[in-house]
Amino acid sequence: MISRGIWQQKCRNAIRRWLRSCAAQTSPLSPSPVVSLGNSSYIGFCSQPIVSRYAMASFSMVNDKLMDLNIPYSIKRSCFSSHALLDLPASGIVSIPLAQTGEGIAECELLKWFVKEGDQVEEFQPLCEVQSDKATIEITSRYKGTVSQIIYVPGDIVKVGESLLKMVVEESQGSNLTSNAPDDMKSMGAEVCDSSIQSSDLRHSNTGGVLATPAVRNLAKQYGVDINHILGTGQDGRVLKEDVLTHAVQKGLCKEPSSLSVNSVEHFQGEEKYSHTLAADGWQYEDKTVPIRGFQRAMIKSMTLAAKIPHFHYVEEINCDALVKLKASFQEENRDPEVKHTFLPFMIKTLSMALSKYPLLNSCFNEELQEITVKGSHNIGIAMATPHGLVVPNIKRVQLLSILEITKELARLQQLALANNLCPEDISGGTITLSNIGAIGGKFGSPLLNSPEVSIIAIGRLQKVPQFVDDENVYPASIMTVNIGADHRVLDGATVARFCNEWKLYIEKPEQLMLHMK
């Protein structure tokens, strides 16, 4: 405020001097002189640049008196403000951290990047894809700007809260991050941000790291060298793979460059190389260490817990002749080419009907509180083998769905699982699990519980076997073997047997299902 008053007083004094000189002349006033108060630019502590203010000074001179004239003048003034810029780091650099992706998630695996260094990013644009123990999630940008540094490479494990990348925010966001600042000072802050982008976009000292691709950074990490200490020979100082290899040789971290030219470059290009040597007794291959990632880590945790649970297994054979005819009838009457009828949706629906009579199998056990929670919804999980590991999404509220609705929902979950795009809602909240191991092979399996659930069912392969009738004649029958695994702390054998008999009844006599469906 003091500085502004001083400059305004100087302006008024300059105008008075100019008017006096005009009054001393006999000729009329010359139009529109511009008063400039020097060429200096002044920036307050809030890092705001100078803005030019234009005003119209009205004077009049008639008979040696002032007359009306519109005289524009410009004043370059300094702006001092006590309003600090909030949340805007120096040079407009912001870090994009890995946010909390779900309850109990402490780290995620980085699967892939959708952007690269130097890319322009819009607000809410997907940046990368990460996978936790429960789901695959896309991380989006909160800002609009330019990617200056990518910190991790695909395959790395990132802790929640750690920075995934750094961005140079766009100029408009520099003004948006100010708190209660005048409008003119906000617009001026954008110009400072813009100038800092142009001057520091290609300098690693301001962008928080050197320019290099994620693959080059991974190569530097393998040799244990700090990429910030490597002099880049690429465009704009970008570090190339040759720079990393040369630096590693100079530090004595590896052998001659000629020996690196084949093995290191091949590894850099992502080619798996299985080296082997000829021994006296034949070929010998090197061991390969495979890190545990994604859903496989969740399976390890779940199976470790399941190993501590006392299991009880009950095996039964079910005649599926009626089910085979029903499926064939569904397929013949199908008018939707996107719907493919299988046995599994019918098995899921009949399972839900049996759970309505024996709800204890649709419960969860809390060992710490010594409590059993009987679940109201039948959220039946379906174990699916995918290229990314075993995953168990569940169909919500099966008791309220028709067989056709179950078919469509099952197809949706299968497509998402194969694409590794299941969301946390798809794989959480399960109450009982169904494993269709027979779709791959095998008569039956002995499943392990998906804690805290208290029951799981494995379905074997449907096969034709000879069966005897009462008159001792033999006929072919479509037989399916099911194996029910139960938590023996909660369920006893008699309860599981009665439940299986009820389920078997609905499968062998589908007309009974029609009587009880709502």
Side-chain angles (χ1 to χ4, degrees):
M1 296 300 294
I2 296 174
S3 175
R4 181 168 58 185
I6 293 174
W7 284 109
Q8 289 176 348
Q9 183 64 34
K10 289 184 178 181
C11 176
R12 287 193 290 269
N13 294 338
I15 293 173
R16 291 191 186 98
R17 289 193 298 268
W18 178 76
L19 292 175
R20 291 193 191 100
S21 64
C22 290
Q25 300 176 4
T26 58
S27 61
L29 292 174
S30 59
S32 303
V34 178
V35 180
S36 177
L37 300 180
N39 298 323
S40 301
S41 296
Y42 295 85
I43 299 178
F45 63 83
C46 61
S47 299
Q48 308 287 6
I50 301 307
V51 65
S52 296
R53 293 289 183 164
Y54 294 92
M56 302 299 294
S58 296
F59 307 100
S60 63
M61 176 176 287
V62 180
N63 297 328
D64 295 336
K65 294 183 180 180
L66 293 178
M67 65 179 182
D68 291 335
L69 283 176
N70 289 328
I71 304 174
Y73 63 91
S74 64
I75 302 174
K76 289 188 177 181
R77 60 183 177 86
S78 59
C79 298
F80 293 89
S81 172
S82 60
H83 301 288
L85 294 178
L86 300 180
D87 301 329
L88 181 60
S91 300
I93 305 300
V94 294
S95 296
I96 307 299
L98 174 62
Q100 185 71 40
T101 58
E103 184 179 357
I105 301 299
E107 60 186 19
C108 293
E109 178 190 359
L110 177 62
L111 295 182
K112 61 181 177 181
W113 285 104
F114 299 122
V115 297
K116 59 181 182 296
E117 293 180 355
D119 282 358
Q120 293 290 329
V121 176
E122 298 295 329
E123 193 173 4
F124 304 117
Q125 177 180 336
L127 297 174
C128 63
E129 187 176 67
V130 299
Q131 184 180 52
S132 66
D133 296 346
K134 299 180 178 180
T136 301
I137 304 154
E138 287 185 354
I139 303 298
T140 59
S141 175
R142 294 173 50 196
Y143 307 100
K144 179 180 179 182
T146 305
V147 178
S148 63
Q149 180 185 2
I150 291 179
I151 299 175
Y152 291 95
V153 297
D156 286 350
I157 299 298
V158 185
K159 302 287 185 182
V160 171
E162 290 184 347
S163 296
L164 290 166
L165 56 82
K166 293 185 178 181
M167 287 178 54
V168 181
V169 297
E170 294 258 330
E171 57 185 50
S172 59
Q173 298 180 87
S175 59
N176 292 336
L177 293 175
T178 60
S179 174
N180 301 324
D183 293 338
D184 57 340
M185 297 180 68
K186 291 184 179 182
S187 62
M188 292 184 294
E191 297 177 8
V192 169
C193 182
D194 182 64
S195 62
S196 64
I197 292 174
Q198 296 176 359
S199 62
S200 63
D201 187 26
L202 300 176
R203 299 176 187 173
H204 65 83
S205 60
N206 290 334
T207 58
V210 298
L211 293 176
T213 63
V216 172
R217 296 181 186 278
N218 191 33
L219 184 64
K221 185 185 298 184
Q222 292 176 8
Y223 284 110
V225 299
D226 188 352
I227 197 169
N228 294 303
H229 296 161
I230 300 176
L231 180 62
T233 59
Q235 185 179 4
D236 300 320
R238 182 179 295 273
V239 176
L240 307 177
K241 64 180 182 293
E242 292 82 3
D243 301 330
V244 176
L245 298 176
T246 302
H247 185 81
V249 172
Q250 293 175 352
K251 294 294 183 180
L253 301 176
C254 56
K255 298 179 181 180
E256 296 295 329
S258 58
S259 63
L260 294 171
S261 58
V262 177
N263 294 335
S264 298
V265 172
E266 285 185 356
H267 181 76
F268 168 79
Q269 294 174 344
E271 300 178 359
E272 292 187 358
K273 181 177 177 62
Y274 299 89
S275 58
H276 51 270
T277 57
L278 181 62
D281 56 348
W283 291 95
Q284 291 183 351
Y285 292 86
E286 290 186 355
D287 297 336
K288 182 180 179 181
T289 301
V290 179
I292 303 299
R293 294 288 188 267
F295 295 131
Q296 193 174 7
R297 303 178 70 188
M299 185 178 67
I300 290 175
K301 294 179 182 179
S302 178
M303 293 300 98
T304 301
L305 292 175
K308 303 176 182 179
I309 299 174
H311 281 62
F312 165 75
H313 287 93
Y314 181 85
V315 181
E316 178 63 289
E317 291 184 347
I318 301 178
N319 189 320
C320 296
D321 285 342
L323 182 58
V324 172
K325 295 179 181 179
L326 187 63
K327 178 211 167 187
S329 175
F330 285 165
Q331 196 63 36
E332 289 176 1
E333 300 297 329
N334 183 25
R335 297 293 182 267
D336 190 347
E338 296 183 357
V339 175
K340 181 181 179 181
H341 292 285
T342 62
F343 297 112
L344 189 56
F346 191 86
M347 302 290 290
I348 294 172
K349 186 60 182 180
T350 54
L351 174 62
S352 175
M353 296 298 295
L355 289 175
S356 298
K357 191 170 183 179
Y358 296 92
L360 193 58
L361 278 85
N362 192 59
S363 63
C364 294
F365 178 60
N366 191 319
E367 185 175 2
E368 294 181 359
L369 300 178
Q370 293 293 300
E371 291 179 350
I372 300 172
T373 302
V374 179
K375 298 294 185 177
S377 297
H378 297 170
N379 299 340
I380 300 179
I382 310 299
M384 297 180 182
T386 72
H388 313 283
L390 177 67
V391 62
V392 188
N394 61 82
I395 302 175
K396 302 288 194 298
R397 299 183 180 90
V398 173
Q399 73 271 25
L400 302 179
L401 302 179
S402 66
I403 295 177
L404 182 59
E405 290 172 331
I406 294 173
T407 301
K408 294 180 179 180
E409 178 65 8
L410 181 62
R412 183 188 73 86
L413 293 175
Q414 288 173 336
Q415 291 177 357
L416 292 176
L418 291 175
N420 199 21
N421 287 329
L422 288 169
C423 63
E425 291 76 14
D426 292 329
I427 59 177
S428 60
T431 57
I432 187 173
T433 299
L434 194 62
S435 176
N436 187 18
I437 189 65
I440 301 176
K443 295 181 179 181
F444 70 93
S446 297
L448 297 179
L449 290 171
N450 186 17
S451 181
E453 299 172 9
V454 298
S455 56
I456 184 172
I457 304 173
I459 303 174
R461 184 177 68 251
L462 185 67
Q463 54 184 345
K464 285 281 189 179
V465 297
Q467 293 286 306
F468 287 92
V469 292
D470 294 339
D471 58 1
E472 296 185 355
N473 289 326
V474 179
Y475 73 98
S478 300
I479 301 298
M480 176 186 295
T481 304
V482 297
N483 190 344
I484 303 175
D487 188 340
H488 215 344
R489 299 171 299 180
V490 179
L491 299 170
D492 56 71
T495 302
V496 175
R498 294 190 183 98
F499 161 79
C500 187
N501 291 338
E502 186 76 11
W503 187 31
K504 179 179 179 180
L505 175 65
Y506 290 133
I507 296 175
E508 293 184 343
K509 299 180 178 181
E511 62 273 12
Q512 294 292 325
L513 180 65
M514 306 305 167
L515 293 176
H516 296 86
M517 286 183 65
K518 297 181 180 179

